[in-house]
Amino acid sequence: MNRSMVRFLLAKLLLIEAGLLLVPVSIALYYRESSQVFTALFSTIGILVVLGLIGIISKPKKQRIYAKEGVLIVALCWILWSFFGALPFVFSGQIPNMIDAFFEISSGFTTTGATILNDVSVLSRSLLFWRSFTHLIGGMGVLVFALAIMDNAKNSHLEVMKAEVPGPVFGKVVSKLKNTAQILYILYLAMFALFVAIYYLAGMPLYDSFVIAMGTAGTGGFTVYNDGIAHYHSSLITYLTSIGVLMFGVNFNLYYYLMLRRIKEFFFDEELRAYLLIVAISTGLITLNTLHLYSGVSQSFEIAFFQVSNIITTTGFGYGDITNWPLFSQYILLMLMAIGGSAGSTAVVSRLSVELSSLKLLKIKSCLPYHLTVC
């Protein structure tokens, strides 16, 4: 075990998180929030910087890492980022219980979308933004983000990438690992920026557009209001959100093919076609099965499409109540939870959509379709 390299990389990752916390600091400055919020944020940044600098004082002599180091770094990174990311909520008193705060922020980084909050209005705008910002970072994987910006001239972090990238199979889109991570994140952030603009043009306030776009990109589901997407009373926004989460549920390697103008590889991908077919069939069946509950086909289709897209991508944006749906429709949603999005996407659960006949041991990511409320 190369302990010094594990320590060195984890220290770098803590410094990266300290830098990320400057984003909610800027939000707090813009909205002129209380000194308590600034104290909470800067205290957390200070702790991260001190620990990070201590960890990188001595550079490891042996920089090669193997599978066991990669797995350990990934596991510890998720735990440490969630722990320190929760501190601003505790220090500010907005989520005073450390366990609750840790649950909330780990749910953000893992893009699970479960929450202990009965009322999100208790959070200041900066910390509400940080809560959703964890979706954006965690959607593609915190280690993918880190490797995209960390020095890796010797391409020595392959095992970290293998342990982190969603899906059972890891493949580099280009020869250098760092370039692979950078390409993935450029595509990811470009699509995120696109949906910020789309939501804003559709009528959302700019702040809301960023928060909802982060939940869309990370397929996590944190929102600005307690009633979720239903708050906007807009069919256009409902459809845009549904399409958005489905797009982020597609393997990002396919978007790289589009960049290279390899259109055939994109549209003839077996997994993509199975993914879209499952969505279409499920939406159609639920629309027909719930038609008697709504005012017409259009409303039934709108809600069915929204629920199907959010369930299969494990996003969890809230809209309406499905407890009164027939069991047939509820069972369809239950199966969609197990299927999940495409491998290599922010919504990956497994490659079950294209390997139904396979007996492989698949990696399953459990995720709640709705926000969990703990009183």
Side-chain angles (χ1 to χ4, degrees), residues 40 134 184 199 349:
T134 58
L184 290 174
Y199 287 145
V349 174

Side-chain angles (χ1 to χ4, degrees), residues 9-17 73 77 81 142-143 146 150:
L9 286 180
L10 287 175
K12 278 189 171 183
L13 290 166
L14 293 181
L15 291 174
I16 289 173
E17 186 174 23
I73 289 168
C77 175
W81 271 38
V142 295
L143 268 299
M150 285 167 60

Side-chain angles (χ1 to χ4, degrees), residues 111 135-136 138-140 188 213-221 248 315 346-347 365:
T111 69
H135 276 340
L136 185 66
M140 186 63 74
Y188 179 58
M214 287 188 286
T216 302
T219 57
F248 282 96
T315 303
T346 66
K365 166 191 169 185

Side-chain angles (χ1 to χ4, degrees), residues 18-270:
L20 294 175
L21 279 165
L22 294 176
V23 175
V25 168
S26 65
I27 301 297
L29 282 171
Y30 180 81
Y31 287 104
R32 299 179 180 180
E33 293 181 348
S34 67
S35 59
Q36 192 174 18
V37 173
F38 285 102
T39 301
L41 288 169
F42 281 117
S43 296
T44 306
I45 291 172
I47 293 171
L48 288 167
V49 169
V50 170
L51 293 176
L53 292 177
I54 292 173
I56 64 171
I57 287 176
S58 58
K59 195 172 184 179
K61 295 180 180 179
K62 295 181 180 179
Q63 297 190 22
R64 187 69 184 176
I65 60 176
Y66 298 94
K68 57 184 178 181
E69 287 92 348
V71 172
L72 181 60
I73 289 168
V74 170
L76 290 177
C77 175
W78 284 96
I79 294 171
L80 291 173
W81 271 38
S82 297
F83 176 79
F84 289 109
L87 292 182
F89 297 99
V90 178
F91 291 160
S92 66
Q94 295 181 24
I95 304 181
N97 186 290
M98 183 63 207
I99 295 176
D100 287 348
F102 180 81
F103 178 94
E104 194 73 16
I105 210 69
S106 60
S107 177
F109 276 125
T110 58
T111 69
T112 302
T115 180
I116 55 88
L117 296 172
N118 293 318
D119 184 7
V120 296
S121 65
V122 300
L123 299 180
S124 62
R125 282 184 172 266
S126 59
L127 293 187
L128 186 64
F129 193 93
W130 169 242
R131 175 176 175 260
S132 291
F133 190 52
T134 58
H135 276 340
L136 185 66
I137 300 301
M140 186 63 74
V142 295
L143 268 299
V144 180
F145 171 77
L147 293 177
I149 62 177
M150 285 167 60
D151 180 29
N152 186 28
K154 297 182 180 180
N155 209 38
S156 61
H157 301 167
L158 180 61
E159 297 298 336
V160 177
M161 190 78 153
K162 283 182 178 179
E164 169 68 2
V165 172
V169 179
F170 164 69
K172 295 187 290 183
V173 296
V174 293
S175 59
K176 289 187 177 181
L177 179 61
K178 183 175 181 178
N179 290 347
T180 295
Q182 288 174 340
I183 288 171
L184 290 174
Y185 248 95
I186 288 171
L187 288 170
Y188 179 58
L189 294 178
M191 289 176 62
F192 159 71
L194 175 64
F195 272 91
V196 171
I198 288 174
Y199 287 145
Y200 180 70
L201 293 174
M204 278 191 190
L206 185 59
Y207 176 87
D208 293 20
S209 299
F210 271 94
V211 171
I212 301 302
M214 287 188 286
T216 302
T219 57
F222 283 161
T223 57
V224 185
Y225 304 101
N226 295 324
D227 52 353
I229 301 301
H231 177 85
Y232 302 102
H233 303 289
S234 169
S235 294
L236 175 59
I237 290 176
T238 303
Y239 276 115
L240 289 174
T241 306
S242 304
I243 294 169
V245 296
L246 286 177
M247 288 179 63
F248 282 96
V250 173
N251 190 326
F252 272 73
N253 287 344
L254 296 182
Y255 292 128
Y256 182 64
Y257 289 153
L258 286 182
M259 285 180 58
L260 300 178
R261 298 181 181 179
R262 293 164 60 178
I263 310 298
K264 184 177 180 180
E265 283 88 344
F266 181 88
F267 287 104
F268 285 87
D269 180 76
E270 183 182 359

